[in-house]
Amino acid sequence: METAYYEYGTAAERWDRAQLFFDAKEYVTAARILTGLVDEVPEQVAPRLLLARAYYHSARLAKAEAELRAVLERDPVEHYARLMLGRTLERQGRAEEAAPQLRMAAALSGEFTPSAVARSTHRSALTR
């Protein structure tokens, strides 16, 4: 596919097309479309979050981490971005860094309970 394909159409059309590719598990293609969209509207969280998810699912974890951190700079209480950042860090073997992100995600989503804290602490101790 030509580069023009990834840039074709309005922002809304590219967003729809990127979602279709993402839903079809064509994560690399979705990411190529979303990269231009994120460059065009960097203040919007949704395209950047979907780009991070596409990177995560295509095992481009450093890029996923960078996008997730950018999302959290714009929206520090975005619990799904915190959860994804925690999972991304875990997948990179960085469980100690992941644990606070996962706890914050649980707290922000209302799932932070004493048993969740115990599981998180236990998981973190096991991976040290």
Side-chain angles (χ1 to χ4, degrees):
M1 280 183 235
E2 292 181 20
T3 303
Y5 174 78
Y6 301 108
E7 299 166 359
Y8 177 77
T10 66
E13 291 168 337
R14 285 179 282 141
W15 169 250
D16 289 342
R17 193 165 54 251
Q19 287 181 307
L20 288 171
F21 278 107
F22 185 89
D23 292 343
K25 298 183 179 175
E26 294 288 337
Y27 303 118
V28 173
T29 303
R32 287 189 71 181
I33 296 167
L34 289 162
T35 300
L37 194 56
V38 164
D39 290 343
E40 188 176 318
V41 287
E43 71 283 355
Q44 291 188 5
V45 171
R48 194 175 290 274
L49 188 55
L50 189 59
L51 177 58
R53 291 176 63 201
Y55 284 148
Y56 178 86
H57 288 296
S58 60
R60 293 186 283 175
L61 302 177
K63 287 185 173 197
E65 179 183 348
E67 291 302 329
L68 291 164
R69 291 189 187 280
V71 166
L72 292 170
E73 282 178 21
R74 288 163 176 74
D75 188 357
V77 296
E78 171 52 63
H79 78 278
Y80 189 69
R82 292 254 176 228
L83 175 65
M84 278 196 61
L85 180 57
R87 296 289 182 237
T88 301
L89 293 169
E90 280 182 332
R91 215 168 145 190
Q92 294 179 73
R94 296 160 56 193
E96 200 166 303
E97 288 177 69
Q101 298 297 331
L102 295 172
R103 283 193 299 273
M104 281 190 277
L108 291 168
S109 69
E111 297 174 12
F112 198 70
T113 62
S115 61
V117 172
R119 279 193 309 274
S120 175
T121 303
H122 179 70
R123 180 189 304 159
S124 182
L126 289 176
T127 57
R128 286 186 195 165

